[in-house]
Amino acid sequence: MEMTWPPPFRSRHNPFTTDIDYSMTNPLSSSGSDFPCKGYHRLLDTAQGGSVVEWEAGQSYGLTLGGSATHNGGSCQASLSYDRGQTWTVIHSYIGNCPLKPTWEFSLPHDTPSGSALFAWSWFNNIGNREMYMNCAHVTISGYESAAEIQERARPPGAPFYGRPALFVANVGNGCSTLEGADVEFPQPGPDVDYATSRSAPPQGSCGAFSALKKRSAKVFRA
């Protein structure tokens, strides 16, 4: 499976692509050597790495997925990075049934920083080899202060964007893995979560403390 909108780096759907990756539907290397973004985050601001969409803080949008090998779904996340892929902030988690439909909706917190960012879709498949999939696109956010301006002053406790968790990472040689046949329950899914699972399980190994956050402030949809 792959993200088709917003169009990722080196995707055939990306108008800036000159060197198409015909294996966009492949998972990340199990060694973690191409985490994040299959290594394509390095194309940011190059000729192949232009911004493909402009979004406004506080508004709702959708990401689109394509492909046919859905591996019985699984769990996905949408996240943003403002430091060229070094750190990621989760804006929405989808536990179960992902990616069994083409479009997945999310909302940007009203204090999402303005400026250039990396947007990522990541997926942990339900059945098959224990894998992590991740595609990334260059996006532009408007409507709020820039990340630099925000850093110049103290952020209020519980700020909607900066109070969100980091991207969940597993199955890439980092000591954390997911259980086959179950939709992974993210240790920290964040406040915006969709549930559509008949069987879920926490990750295995060194993944951080399992959180009960999923039981609070979440939209719950169970299959």
Side-chain angles (χ1 to χ4, degrees), residues 194-211:
D194 289 355
Y195 289 94
T197 180
S198 58
R199 185 191 179 203
S200 62
Q204 314 293 306
S206 302
C207 307
F210 184 71
S211 173

Side-chain angles (χ1 to χ4, degrees), residues 79-95:
S79 56
L80 287 168
S81 173
Y82 286 89
D83 54 11
R84 308 183 76 89
Q86 295 183 61
T87 60
W88 297 87
T89 299
V90 172
I91 55 176
H92 205 111
S93 293
Y94 314 88
I95 299 177

Side-chain angles (χ1 to χ4, degrees), residues 91-117:
I91 55 176
H92 205 111
S93 293
Y94 314 88
I95 299 177
N97 222 32
C98 185
L100 298 185
K101 63 180 183 179
T103 302
W104 297 82
E105 297 179 352
F106 61 89
S107 296
L108 297 177
H110 70 80
D111 63 340
T112 302
S114 293
S116 179

Side-chain angles (χ1 to χ4, degrees), residues 58-148:
Q59 299 302 308
S60 297
Y61 300 96
L63 67 93
T64 303
L65 305 175
S68 58
T70 59
H71 295 291
N72 199 41
S75 298
C76 302
Q77 288 186 311
S79 56
L80 287 168
S81 173
Y82 286 89
D83 54 11
R84 308 183 76 89
Q86 295 183 61
T87 60
W88 297 87
T89 299
V90 172
I91 55 176
H92 205 111
S93 293
Y94 314 88
I95 299 177
N97 222 32
C98 185
L100 298 185
K101 63 180 183 179
T103 302
W104 297 82
E105 297 179 352
F106 61 89
S107 296
L108 297 177
H110 70 80
D111 63 340
T112 302
S114 293
S116 179
L118 291 171
F119 174 80
W121 163 73
S122 52
W123 168 42
F124 300 89
N125 50 307
N126 182 294
I127 61 172
N129 295 332
R130 300 297 79 210
E131 296 168 332
M132 178 176 182
Y133 294 74
M134 187 178 192
N135 295 150
C136 304
H138 181 184
V139 303
T140 302
I141 310 294
S142 63
Y144 196 69
E145 297 173 292
S146 70

